[in-house]
Amino acid sequence: AMIFRGSGWVSQEDLDLPAPALSREASVRTERVMGEPLNWCQEEALTIGGRGPGVRRRDLMARCRISREAARRHLTSLVARGLLRRVGQGRSTHYRSA
């Protein structure tokens, strides 16, 4: 990316990545729960889960452009923190706000 940029720092706009939409309320809530802030993919999972009936692994994969395994790790860590709960098994698995 730096070769094509030419000079200066490579920014998020140069890489055409989705902008992290961090909500102040979610950040404060999660810091109280675990004492350690969430990464932006985990914040996105909470945002998606709060807007609809739940978040699925494929939703997080598409939104954050991450692998299936990375999405699984992010979602299970949110379940372990008590911020999401797992509903269903197999292909029908989705995660809802706790």
Side-chain angles (χ1 to χ4, degrees):
M2 194 61 192
I3 293 169
F4 294 114
R5 172 74 174 160
S7 64
W9 292 96
V10 176
S11 67
Q12 188 171 11
E13 292 81 26
D14 297 325
L15 299 175
D16 192 30
L17 297 174
L22 300 176
S23 79
R24 175 73 181 136
E25 178 183 308
S27 296
V28 169
R29 180 182 64 204
T30 55
E31 286 177 15
R32 268 191 248 134
V33 172
M34 287 299 280
E36 147 183 339
L38 299 176
N39 63 39
W40 77 272
C41 283
Q42 292 168 330
E43 290 281 351
E44 286 297 315
L46 292 175
T47 302
I48 296 168
R51 274 190 274 164
V55 60
R56 296 181 186 272
R57 188 184 316 177
R58 66 176 173 240
D59 299 332
L60 195 58
M61 289 167 55
R63 179 72 171 248
C64 297
R65 297 179 184 170
I66 57 176
S67 71
R68 181 182 172 113
E69 179 61 21
R72 185 195 63 77
R73 283 193 313 262
H74 289 311
L75 291 169
T76 55
S77 73
L78 290 172
V79 170
R81 291 178 181 210
L83 297 173
L84 291 179
R85 63 185 172 88
R86 182 179 173 164
V87 179
Q89 287 186 318
R91 298 181 111 191
S92 67
T93 301
H94 59 281
Y95 300 84
R96 292 190 178 161
S97 296

